[in-house]
Amino acid sequence: MRYLHTFRTVCEAGSLRAAAGVLHRTEQAVSYQLRKLEEALGMPVFHRGSGRLTPNAAGERLLAFCREMDRDWEALHEQLRDAGADESPLRISAVSGFGRYQLLPLFREGPLADIPIRMRYPIAEDVVRHVESGAAYIGFVHRMNAHDRLRHTPVGAEEIVLIAAADSQAMLSCEAASLQQAHFVTYDESDYVFATWFTQVLGAPLSRLSTIAHFEELEEVLDWVATGRGVSIVPAACMVDHEAQGALMALRKPEAPCRNTIYAVQDPARSHPAVERTLQAVRQHARF
């Protein structure tokens, strides 16, 4: 589904650069997802060799499928919307770092363990889209998005840290001069996370950022960095186990810790009995 959304965005935007801007991702990440989609299909879906990316015959059929699927998806949600919140699980959409490593434990063994849930971990843009369409009763994102109808409420914060292999011999520090020489491992949503860390810790973005690898999921990033092949900037909660096992280390400036605000996304016209309980638990767990 994520690859199809990226494919449709590229078709409508006409180029990797334009699509990357719409999706809030790097061109490298968009190109990677298109490549994975074509690998899954076993065929190319674009005419290549010109400045503008246009779908070929297979791509045109796939684009028509995506548009029809969107219509069917919206129709299905319209039918399910009135089924009654009391009878349905709490549908949640959350950005991966916060959702997997801070939110899910609250439902797995924490104070919300009695609540049935359906949880997804898309990018921030899709979290908002899920709440807007009714696919989720509540969403959690790490940046404010202007929206005419949806409400964004700050509910807590997550710490963001620079990470490297624990046994790395490289002399790495939280200083611009040192980081200019480092090779970074990026992931979906890393543009925003990196920019937040650079701004809060260094006071400005790096003039040059060298990227060695890109992955979709944070687990892949952590495993790669643990081998000593690059560094990254991630939510601190996601690397606790790796740090305890001695595979990774977090580098911090004690006088300038980086904290990113977490926002709950809600549609005031749609709710679920467990939403308020969930918000209370998140506020208590992810305190500012």
Side-chain angles (χ1 to χ4, degrees):
M1 293 294 288
R2 182 183 300 179
Y3 297 159
L4 290 176
H5 178 57
T6 298
F7 164 75
R8 179 174 176 176
T9 303
V10 171
C11 289
E12 294 173 347
S15 71
L16 288 179
R17 176 175 294 182
V22 172
L23 295 169
H24 304 290
R25 299 178 186 164
T26 63
E27 290 183 47
Q28 181 185 14
V30 174
S31 178
Y32 169 83
Q33 294 204 348
L34 293 181
R35 186 169 69 252
K36 297 300 288 185
L37 175 63
E38 290 182 327
E39 288 175 2
L41 293 172
M43 66 186 71
V45 292
F46 286 104
H47 294 294
R48 286 182 167 84
S50 61
R52 182 176 177 84
L53 274 178
T54 57
N56 58 20
E60 289 288 358
R61 293 186 65 181
L62 185 61
L63 181 58
F65 168 80
C66 290
R67 288 170 173 161
E68 186 66 28
M69 182 176 64
D70 272 358
R71 287 191 289 270
D72 290 345
W73 187 250
E74 291 302 322
L76 175 62
H77 279 273
E78 192 65 37
Q79 294 168 16
L80 296 177
R81 234 169 248 166
D82 299 326
D86 287 327
E87 300 174 2
S88 64
L90 176 61
R91 299 191 300 271
I92 306 170
S93 194
V95 289
S96 181
F98 178 77
R100 290 182 190 277
Y101 299 101
Q102 294 199 64
L103 184 61
L104 183 59
L106 298 179
F107 292 94
R108 190 173 56 222
E109 64 270 342
L112 306 176
D114 60 306
I115 299 175
I117 61 170
R118 298 289 184 272
M119 193 177 297
R120 291 192 283 183
Y121 308 107
I123 61 172
E125 179 190 59
D126 286 342
V127 171
V128 174
R129 187 170 63 85
H130 290 166
V131 176
E132 183 178 39
S133 69
Y137 287 108
I138 189 168
F140 294 91
V141 295
H142 46 36
R143 62 171 178 258
M144 175 73 78
N145 293 276
H147 198 287
D148 292 337
R149 184 162 57 86
L150 302 184
R151 182 171 66 236
H152 286 67
T153 308
V155 291
E158 63 179 1
E159 184 183 10
I160 301 171
V161 294
L162 175 68
I163 63 169
D167 59 355
S168 174
Q169 300 301 310
M171 296 299 294
L172 184 70
S173 67
C174 298
E175 304 294 339
S178 174
L179 296 175
Q180 295 283 9
Q181 309 303 316
H183 299 295
F184 283 85
V185 182
T186 58
Y187 51 93
D188 288 0
E189 302 277 14
S190 64
D191 285 0
Y192 181 84
V193 174
F194 281 29
T196 300
W197 191 90
F198 291 140
T199 301
Q200 290 190 28
V201 178
L202 302 183
L206 287 183
S207 59
R208 182 183 66 85
L209 181 68
S210 173
T211 302
I212 192 173
H214 179 90
F215 298 101
E216 287 186 50
E217 296 296 343
L218 284 168
E219 278 299 327
E220 297 170 305
V221 173
L222 301 177
D223 290 343
W224 190 272
V225 172
T227 67
R229 301 169 66 186
V231 302
S232 193
I233 299 170
V234 301
C238 77
M239 52 101 44
V240 171
D241 289 342
H242 290 74
E243 194 172 25
Q245 294 164 8
L248 293 173
M249 62 178 177
L251 290 85
R252 299 174 172 90
K253 274 188 173 182
E255 72 280 8
C258 180
R259 294 193 177 278
N260 191 41
T261 301
I262 298 297
Y263 296 90
V265 185
Q266 296 173 268
D267 183 347
R270 188 181 297 115
S271 190
H272 185 284
V275 164
E276 190 53 42
R277 235 184 96 191
T278 299
L279 289 175
Q280 290 175 0
V282 169
R283 290 188 181 102
Q284 184 174 3
H285 176 75
R287 294 174 178 171
F288 287 100

